[in-house]
Amino acid sequence: MNATTARSTETAFESFEADWQEWHEAHERHRAHPHGFLAVTHLHWLGPEPTALDGVPGTWSAANDVVTVVLEPGETLELEQQALPAGETVIGPIAERGGLNLSSGQTVIELAKRGGEYIVRPRNPENGLLRGYQGTPAYSPDAAYAVRGTYVPFEVPRPTTVGAAVEGIQHVYEAPGEIRFKLAGQELTLTAFNGHAPGSLLVLFTDQTSGKTTYAANRSLSVVPAADGSVELDFNRAVNLPCAYTDLATCPLPPAENRLPVPIEAGEKIPFERQDQQ
């Protein structure tokens, strides 16, 4: 390697490292949002019997795919910046994996549907998990773990049932295709789900670092295929799901075929909050 090539390689790595650092810091800011998942104080599963919930005004119930909340005089709850009246309010239906936010003082109250059931999760910026958050350890960026792959759509999207971090529920995702790539000398394949943003894909996976240096249950990676099906899998941007930090999460687990037989020594590691549980 001549001096010019060496300088070019060094510059490319510095740019790669700087891009990763910028992304990582932005992701950390998003995770530490005052009403993000680190602020969740309770996880309540609603049933047909009206029930008072810790951390939330009113009594709550769910039946016939709608939620009913009853407020007593003096209790305050807002939806879309409009105060709910005293007495009974019916909300819903809400689509699976959908949700909406209500508020009471500084607390944001998430109402959502997970695994066919309605849940209520209050999020308070004074929650100890959020206030004590130290950031998430991660591997140093390594360009060897940013690999090219090919997205191959299925003839028909496949409904795929996976387990969850919460025992007793399952998630059903639509898998539009799979991603094929090569890493550590092996030909590998990952089933991909539809992502949050239009045109994006979500990959849930484990690998040979899971339960050792990375969180045991899952990590996730967002990818965007090009028009020709080519895709970059940058495992340096593999992130933990909420269940890596709190038991008040309902995160999906990877499908069995996404348990990679190679170590992915890139991306986020086991959070400080969980290192004594591995």
mmCIF file of all heavy atoms in Angstrom, residues 28-41 55 100-111 121-127 129-131 242:
data_model
loop_
_atom_site.group_PDB
_atom_site.id
_atom_site.type_symbol
_atom_site.label_atom_id
_atom_site.label_comp_id
_atom_site.label_asym_id
_atom_site.label_seq_id
_atom_site.Cartn_x
_atom_site.Cartn_y
_atom_site.Cartn_z
ATOM 1 N N GLU A 28 -28.867 7.926 21.195
ATOM 2 C CA GLU A 28 -28.869 8.026 22.655
ATOM 3 C C GLU A 28 -29.775 9.161 23.130
ATOM 4 O O GLU A 28 -30.495 9.019 24.123
ATOM 5 C CB GLU A 28 -27.438 8.236 23.169
ATOM 6 C CG GLU A 28 -26.572 6.995 23.112
ATOM 7 C CD GLU A 28 -26.841 6.028 24.248
ATOM 8 O OE1 GLU A 28 -28.027 5.715 24.516
ATOM 9 O OE2 GLU A 28 -25.869 5.576 24.866
ATOM 10 N N ARG A 29 -29.748 10.291 22.428
ATOM 11 C CA ARG A 29 -30.642 11.392 22.810
ATOM 12 C C ARG A 29 -32.098 10.976 22.670
ATOM 13 O O ARG A 29 -32.935 11.294 23.527
ATOM 14 C CB ARG A 29 -30.353 12.632 21.948
ATOM 15 C CG ARG A 29 -29.041 13.327 22.263
ATOM 16 C CD ARG A 29 -28.982 14.707 21.612
ATOM 17 N NE ARG A 29 -29.035 14.628 20.161
ATOM 18 C CZ ARG A 29 -27.971 14.499 19.383
ATOM 19 N NH1 ARG A 29 -26.752 14.414 19.925
ATOM 20 N NH2 ARG A 29 -28.086 14.465 18.062
ATOM 21 N N HIS A 30 -32.411 10.273 21.595
ATOM 22 C CA HIS A 30 -33.773 9.802 21.389
ATOM 23 C C HIS A 30 -34.174 8.831 22.502
ATOM 24 O O HIS A 30 -35.284 8.917 23.048
ATOM 25 C CB HIS A 30 -33.876 9.119 20.027
ATOM 26 C CG HIS A 30 -35.202 8.470 19.771
ATOM 27 N ND1 HIS A 30 -36.329 9.190 19.440
ATOM 28 C CD2 HIS A 30 -35.588 7.154 19.793
ATOM 29 C CE1 HIS A 30 -37.342 8.367 19.282
ATOM 30 N NE2 HIS A 30 -36.922 7.131 19.492
ATOM 31 N N ARG A 31 -33.294 7.921 22.868
ATOM 32 C CA ARG A 31 -33.617 6.931 23.895
ATOM 33 C C ARG A 31 -33.837 7.595 25.261
ATOM 34 O O ARG A 31 -34.653 7.118 26.064
ATOM 35 C CB ARG A 31 -32.500 5.894 23.986
ATOM 36 C CG ARG A 31 -32.745 4.835 25.036
ATOM 37 C CD ARG A 31 -32.013 3.544 24.785
ATOM 38 N NE ARG A 31 -30.671 3.751 24.299
ATOM 39 C CZ ARG A 31 -30.062 2.912 23.447
ATOM 40 N NH1 ARG A 31 -30.670 1.858 22.980
ATOM 41 N NH2 ARG A 31 -28.821 3.165 23.063
ATOM 42 N N ALA A 32 -33.115 8.660 25.529
ATOM 43 C CA ALA A 32 -33.210 9.338 26.829
ATOM 44 C C ALA A 32 -34.255 10.450 26.830
ATOM 45 O O ALA A 32 -34.249 11.304 27.727
ATOM 46 C CB ALA A 32 -31.841 9.891 27.216
ATOM 47 N N HIS A 33 -35.178 10.427 25.878
ATOM 48 C CA HIS A 33 -36.254 11.423 25.841
ATOM 49 C C HIS A 33 -37.043 11.368 27.148
ATOM 50 O O HIS A 33 -37.254 10.280 27.711
ATOM 51 C CB HIS A 33 -37.174 11.148 24.651
ATOM 52 C CG HIS A 33 -38.211 12.201 24.426
ATOM 53 N ND1 HIS A 33 -39.394 12.242 25.157
ATOM 54 C CD2 HIS A 33 -38.260 13.249 23.569
ATOM 55 C CE1 HIS A 33 -40.117 13.264 24.744
ATOM 56 N NE2 HIS A 33 -39.446 13.893 23.796
ATOM 57 N N PRO A 34 -37.497 12.512 27.672
ATOM 58 C CA PRO A 34 -38.212 12.525 28.953
ATOM 59 C C PRO A 34 -39.444 11.623 28.997
ATOM 60 O O PRO A 34 -39.879 11.220 30.083
ATOM 61 C CB PRO A 34 -38.597 13.998 29.128
ATOM 62 C CG PRO A 34 -37.573 14.749 28.349
ATOM 63 C CD PRO A 34 -37.254 13.889 27.174
ATOM 64 N N HIS A 35 -40.028 11.314 27.848
ATOM 65 C CA HIS A 35 -41.188 10.419 27.819
ATOM 66 C C HIS A 35 -40.929 9.190 26.956
ATOM 67 O O HIS A 35 -41.874 8.582 26.437
ATOM 68 C CB HIS A 35 -42.433 11.173 27.350
ATOM 69 C CG HIS A 35 -42.900 12.208 28.318
ATOM 70 N ND1 HIS A 35 -42.952 13.558 28.014
ATOM 71 C CD2 HIS A 35 -43.311 12.103 29.608
ATOM 72 C CE1 HIS A 35 -43.376 14.226 29.056
ATOM 73 N NE2 HIS A 35 -43.610 13.375 30.043
ATOM 74 N N GLY A 36 -39.667 8.807 26.814
ATOM 75 C CA GLY A 36 -39.325 7.582 26.098
ATOM 76 C C GLY A 36 -39.557 6.357 26.966
ATOM 77 O O GLY A 36 -40.065 6.440 28.094
ATOM 78 N N PHE A 37 -39.134 5.182 26.482
ATOM 79 C CA PHE A 37 -39.443 3.956 27.223
ATOM 80 C C PHE A 37 -38.691 3.858 28.550
ATOM 81 O O PHE A 37 -39.126 3.139 29.456
ATOM 82 C CB PHE A 37 -39.215 2.720 26.349
ATOM 83 C CG PHE A 37 -37.778 2.414 26.049
ATOM 84 C CD1 PHE A 37 -36.965 1.769 26.969
ATOM 85 C CD2 PHE A 37 -37.230 2.731 24.815
ATOM 86 C CE1 PHE A 37 -35.641 1.478 26.683
ATOM 87 C CE2 PHE A 37 -35.903 2.441 24.516
ATOM 88 C CZ PHE A 37 -35.115 1.818 25.454
ATOM 89 N N LEU A 38 -37.590 4.590 28.706
ATOM 90 C CA LEU A 38 -36.895 4.586 29.993
ATOM 91 C C LEU A 38 -37.712 5.284 31.079
ATOM 92 O O LEU A 38 -37.433 5.128 32.266
ATOM 93 C CB LEU A 38 -35.534 5.261 29.863
ATOM 94 C CG LEU A 38 -34.510 4.580 28.959
ATOM 95 C CD1 LEU A 38 -33.256 5.429 28.850
ATOM 96 C CD2 LEU A 38 -34.172 3.182 29.457
ATOM 97 N N ALA A 39 -38.725 6.040 30.670
ATOM 98 C CA ALA A 39 -39.589 6.752 31.618
ATOM 99 C C ALA A 39 -40.804 5.931 32.040
ATOM 100 O O ALA A 39 -41.580 6.375 32.883
ATOM 101 C CB ALA A 39 -40.056 8.080 31.005
ATOM 102 N N VAL A 40 -40.977 4.733 31.473
ATOM 103 C CA VAL A 40 -42.151 3.912 31.803
ATOM 104 C C VAL A 40 -42.066 3.458 33.261
ATOM 105 O O VAL A 40 -41.064 2.883 33.698
ATOM 106 C CB VAL A 40 -42.251 2.696 30.869
ATOM 107 C CG1 VAL A 40 -43.354 1.754 31.333
ATOM 108 C CG2 VAL A 40 -42.515 3.142 29.430
ATOM 109 N N THR A 41 -43.146 3.693 34.008
ATOM 110 C CA THR A 41 -43.181 3.329 35.428
ATOM 111 C C THR A 41 -43.996 2.077 35.715
ATOM 112 O O THR A 41 -43.775 1.408 36.724
ATOM 113 C CB THR A 41 -43.751 4.488 36.270
ATOM 114 O OG1 THR A 41 -45.088 4.779 35.827
ATOM 115 C CG2 THR A 41 -42.894 5.737 36.137
ATOM 116 N N GLY A 55 -50.325 5.120 39.010
ATOM 117 C CA GLY A 55 -49.685 6.117 38.171
ATOM 118 C C GLY A 55 -50.576 6.750 37.127
ATOM 119 O O GLY A 55 -50.099 7.546 36.306
ATOM 120 N N LEU A 100 -51.792 5.418 21.235
ATOM 121 C CA LEU A 100 -51.947 6.862 21.331
ATOM 122 C C LEU A 100 -51.515 7.291 22.723
ATOM 123 O O LEU A 100 -51.383 6.471 23.638
ATOM 124 C CB LEU A 100 -53.383 7.292 21.026
ATOM 125 C CG LEU A 100 -54.518 6.614 21.806
ATOM 126 C CD1 LEU A 100 -54.743 7.265 23.167
ATOM 127 C CD2 LEU A 100 -55.813 6.675 21.001
ATOM 128 N N ASN A 101 -51.265 8.580 22.876
ATOM 129 C CA ASN A 101 -50.790 9.115 24.146
ATOM 130 C C ASN A 101 -51.800 10.068 24.749
ATOM 131 O O ASN A 101 -52.334 10.953 24.066
ATOM 132 C CB ASN A 101 -49.462 9.853 23.954
ATOM 133 C CG ASN A 101 -48.313 8.915 23.654
ATOM 134 O OD1 ASN A 101 -48.298 7.767 24.090
ATOM 135 N ND2 ASN A 101 -47.328 9.392 22.915
ATOM 136 N N LEU A 102 -52.069 9.871 26.027
ATOM 137 C CA LEU A 102 -52.819 10.821 26.825
ATOM 138 C C LEU A 102 -51.828 11.467 27.791
ATOM 139 O O LEU A 102 -50.658 11.059 27.864
ATOM 140 C CB LEU A 102 -53.947 10.133 27.589
ATOM 141 C CG LEU A 102 -54.984 9.381 26.742
ATOM 142 C CD1 LEU A 102 -54.618 7.895 26.650
ATOM 143 C CD2 LEU A 102 -56.392 9.525 27.315
ATOM 144 N N SER A 103 -52.271 12.465 28.538
ATOM 145 C CA SER A 103 -51.360 13.108 29.484
ATOM 146 C C SER A 103 -52.104 13.522 30.738
ATOM 147 O O SER A 103 -53.314 13.794 30.721
ATOM 148 C CB SER A 103 -50.694 14.340 28.851
ATOM 149 O OG SER A 103 -51.659 15.308 28.499
ATOM 150 N N SER A 104 -51.341 13.538 31.823
ATOM 151 C CA SER A 104 -51.844 14.024 33.109
ATOM 152 C C SER A 104 -50.673 14.663 33.832
ATOM 153 O O SER A 104 -49.764 13.967 34.294
ATOM 154 C CB SER A 104 -52.427 12.877 33.938
ATOM 155 O OG SER A 104 -52.873 13.340 35.201
ATOM 156 N N GLY A 105 -50.670 16.008 33.891
ATOM 157 C CA GLY A 105 -49.514 16.697 34.450
ATOM 158 C C GLY A 105 -48.288 16.407 33.616
ATOM 159 O O GLY A 105 -48.321 16.482 32.382
ATOM 160 N N GLN A 106 -47.172 16.012 34.255
ATOM 161 C CA GLN A 106 -45.957 15.721 33.509
ATOM 162 C C GLN A 106 -45.886 14.269 33.028
ATOM 163 O O GLN A 106 -44.919 13.869 32.379
ATOM 164 C CB GLN A 106 -44.732 16.031 34.364
ATOM 165 C CG GLN A 106 -44.548 15.128 35.572
ATOM 166 C CD GLN A 106 -43.246 15.407 36.291
ATOM 167 O OE1 GLN A 106 -42.389 16.126 35.792
ATOM 168 N NE2 GLN A 106 -43.080 14.830 37.475
ATOM 169 N N THR A 107 -46.926 13.499 33.329
ATOM 170 C CA THR A 107 -46.944 12.096 32.934
ATOM 171 C C THR A 107 -47.649 11.921 31.590
ATOM 172 O O THR A 107 -48.752 12.421 31.388
ATOM 173 C CB THR A 107 -47.663 11.234 33.990
ATOM 174 O OG1 THR A 107 -46.967 11.337 35.228
ATOM 175 C CG2 THR A 107 -47.713 9.774 33.569
ATOM 176 N N VAL A 108 -47.001 11.232 30.678
ATOM 177 C CA VAL A 108 -47.623 10.814 29.422
ATOM 178 C C VAL A 108 -48.083 9.375 29.591
ATOM 179 O O VAL A 108 -47.339 8.531 30.115
ATOM 180 C CB VAL A 108 -46.637 10.938 28.243
ATOM 181 C CG1 VAL A 108 -47.160 10.203 27.015
ATOM 182 C CG2 VAL A 108 -46.410 12.402 27.907
ATOM 183 N N ILE A 109 -49.308 9.088 29.169
ATOM 184 C CA ILE A 109 -49.904 7.768 29.377
ATOM 185 C C ILE A 109 -50.126 7.120 28.021
ATOM 186 O O ILE A 109 -50.956 7.565 27.226
ATOM 187 C CB ILE A 109 -51.226 7.884 30.152
ATOM 188 C CG1 ILE A 109 -50.946 8.488 31.532
ATOM 189 C CG2 ILE A 109 -51.901 6.529 30.282
ATOM 190 C CD1 ILE A 109 -52.076 9.288 32.097
ATOM 191 N N GLU A 110 -49.352 6.087 27.751
ATOM 192 C CA GLU A 110 -49.460 5.348 26.500
ATOM 193 C C GLU A 110 -50.596 4.334 26.593
ATOM 194 O O GLU A 110 -50.634 3.517 27.518
ATOM 195 C CB GLU A 110 -48.139 4.624 26.217
ATOM 196 C CG GLU A 110 -48.161 3.737 24.979
ATOM 197 C CD GLU A 110 -46.976 2.811 24.904
ATOM 198 O OE1 GLU A 110 -46.228 2.704 25.905
ATOM 199 O OE2 GLU A 110 -46.793 2.175 23.844
ATOM 200 N N LEU A 111 -51.508 4.406 25.647
ATOM 201 C CA LEU A 111 -52.563 3.401 25.508
ATOM 202 C C LEU A 111 -52.308 2.686 24.191
ATOM 203 O O LEU A 111 -52.256 3.329 23.137
ATOM 204 C CB LEU A 111 -53.947 4.059 25.506
ATOM 205 C CG LEU A 111 -55.136 3.158 25.184
ATOM 206 C CD1 LEU A 111 -55.277 2.042 26.222
ATOM 207 C CD2 LEU A 111 -56.425 3.975 25.093
ATOM 208 N N ARG A 121 -49.372 2.251 29.753
ATOM 209 C CA ARG A 121 -48.036 2.449 30.311
ATOM 210 C C ARG A 121 -47.807 3.920 30.599
ATOM 211 O O ARG A 121 -47.590 4.709 29.672
ATOM 212 C CB ARG A 121 -46.958 1.941 29.349
ATOM 213 C CG ARG A 121 -46.777 0.455 29.346
ATOM 214 C CD ARG A 121 -45.573 0.005 28.554
ATOM 215 N NE ARG A 121 -45.756 0.141 27.129
ATOM 216 C CZ ARG A 121 -45.166 -0.631 26.216
ATOM 217 N NH1 ARG A 121 -44.347 -1.590 26.606
ATOM 218 N NH2 ARG A 121 -45.374 -0.445 24.933
ATOM 219 N N PRO A 122 -47.846 4.335 31.865
ATOM 220 C CA PRO A 122 -47.489 5.721 32.182
ATOM 221 C C PRO A 122 -45.985 5.941 32.045
ATOM 222 O O PRO A 122 -45.179 5.059 32.360
ATOM 223 C CB PRO A 122 -47.940 5.874 33.642
ATOM 224 C CG PRO A 122 -48.002 4.485 34.175
ATOM 225 C CD PRO A 122 -48.305 3.581 33.033
ATOM 226 N N ARG A 123 -45.637 7.141 31.562
ATOM 227 C CA ARG A 123 -44.231 7.503 31.363
ATOM 228 C C ARG A 123 -43.972 8.827 32.088
ATOM 229 O O ARG A 123 -44.526 9.857 31.720
ATOM 230 C CB ARG A 123 -43.926 7.642 29.873
ATOM 231 C CG ARG A 123 -44.160 6.353 29.075
ATOM 232 C CD ARG A 123 -44.089 6.600 27.580
ATOM 233 N NE ARG A 123 -44.309 5.382 26.810
ATOM 234 C CZ ARG A 123 -43.440 4.839 25.962
ATOM 235 N NH1 ARG A 123 -42.278 5.432 25.766
ATOM 236 N NH2 ARG A 123 -43.726 3.733 25.307
ATOM 237 N N ASN A 124 -43.138 8.756 33.106
ATOM 238 C CA ASN A 124 -42.862 9.925 33.929
ATOM 239 C C ASN A 124 -41.380 10.255 33.866
ATOM 240 O O ASN A 124 -40.532 9.383 34.111
ATOM 241 C CB ASN A 124 -43.286 9.659 35.379
ATOM 242 C CG ASN A 124 -43.255 10.906 36.223
ATOM 243 O OD1 ASN A 124 -42.212 11.522 36.394
ATOM 244 N ND2 ASN A 124 -44.397 11.293 36.770
ATOM 245 N N PRO A 125 -41.031 11.514 33.550
ATOM 246 C CA PRO A 125 -39.611 11.870 33.420
ATOM 247 C C PRO A 125 -38.819 11.756 34.713
ATOM 248 O O PRO A 125 -37.581 11.806 34.673
ATOM 249 C CB PRO A 125 -39.650 13.321 32.910
ATOM 250 C CG PRO A 125 -41.015 13.817 33.225
ATOM 251 C CD PRO A 125 -41.925 12.637 33.199
ATOM 252 N N GLU A 126 -39.502 11.581 35.846
ATOM 253 C CA GLU A 126 -38.791 11.393 37.112
ATOM 254 C C GLU A 126 -38.496 9.926 37.398
ATOM 255 O O GLU A 126 -37.931 9.604 38.455
ATOM 256 C CB GLU A 126 -39.615 11.994 38.265
ATOM 257 C CG GLU A 126 -39.791 13.501 38.175
ATOM 258 C CD GLU A 126 -38.459 14.239 38.159
ATOM 259 O OE1 GLU A 126 -37.578 13.899 38.977
ATOM 260 O OE2 GLU A 126 -38.287 15.146 37.327
ATOM 261 N N ASN A 127 -38.866 9.029 36.484
ATOM 262 C CA ASN A 127 -38.635 7.604 36.709
ATOM 263 C C ASN A 127 -37.150 7.337 36.936
ATOM 264 O O ASN A 127 -36.283 7.858 36.228
ATOM 265 C CB ASN A 127 -39.123 6.803 35.508
ATOM 266 C CG ASN A 127 -39.104 5.306 35.774
ATOM 267 O OD1 ASN A 127 -39.411 4.855 36.874
ATOM 268 N ND2 ASN A 127 -38.751 4.526 34.768
ATOM 269 N N LEU A 129 -35.209 4.787 36.330
ATOM 270 C CA LEU A 129 -34.449 4.193 35.234
ATOM 271 C C LEU A 129 -33.938 5.264 34.282
ATOM 272 O O LEU A 129 -32.796 5.205 33.823
ATOM 273 C CB LEU A 129 -35.321 3.186 34.485
ATOM 274 C CG LEU A 129 -34.649 2.433 33.329
ATOM 275 C CD1 LEU A 129 -33.482 1.583 33.822
ATOM 276 C CD2 LEU A 129 -35.671 1.567 32.589
ATOM 277 N N LEU A 130 -34.776 6.242 34.010
ATOM 278 C CA LEU A 130 -34.374 7.337 33.127
ATOM 279 C C LEU A 130 -33.375 8.259 33.806
ATOM 280 O O LEU A 130 -32.337 8.621 33.223
ATOM 281 C CB LEU A 130 -35.599 8.122 32.672
ATOM 282 C CG LEU A 130 -35.330 9.379 31.844
ATOM 283 C CD1 LEU A 130 -34.575 9.052 30.563
ATOM 284 C CD2 LEU A 130 -36.645 10.095 31.523
ATOM 285 N N ARG A 131 -33.660 8.628 35.043
ATOM 286 C CA ARG A 131 -32.780 9.575 35.743
ATOM 287 C C ARG A 131 -31.384 8.987 35.966
ATOM 288 O O ARG A 131 -30.389 9.709 35.996
ATOM 289 C CB ARG A 131 -33.403 9.991 37.070
ATOM 290 C CG ARG A 131 -34.628 10.888 36.911
ATOM 291 C CD ARG A 131 -35.219 11.282 38.272
ATOM 292 N NE ARG A 131 -34.279 12.046 39.070
ATOM 293 C CZ ARG A 131 -34.078 13.353 38.983
ATOM 294 N NH1 ARG A 131 -34.766 14.063 38.089
ATOM 295 N NH2 ARG A 131 -33.232 13.955 39.780
ATOM 296 N N PRO A 242 -36.365 -2.027 23.768
ATOM 297 C CA PRO A 242 -36.674 -1.610 25.140
ATOM 298 C C PRO A 242 -36.543 -2.708 26.190
ATOM 299 O O PRO A 242 -36.149 -2.443 27.330
ATOM 300 C CB PRO A 242 -38.112 -1.099 25.034
ATOM 301 C CG PRO A 242 -38.203 -0.558 23.637
ATOM 302 C CD PRO A 242 -37.387 -1.512 22.812
#
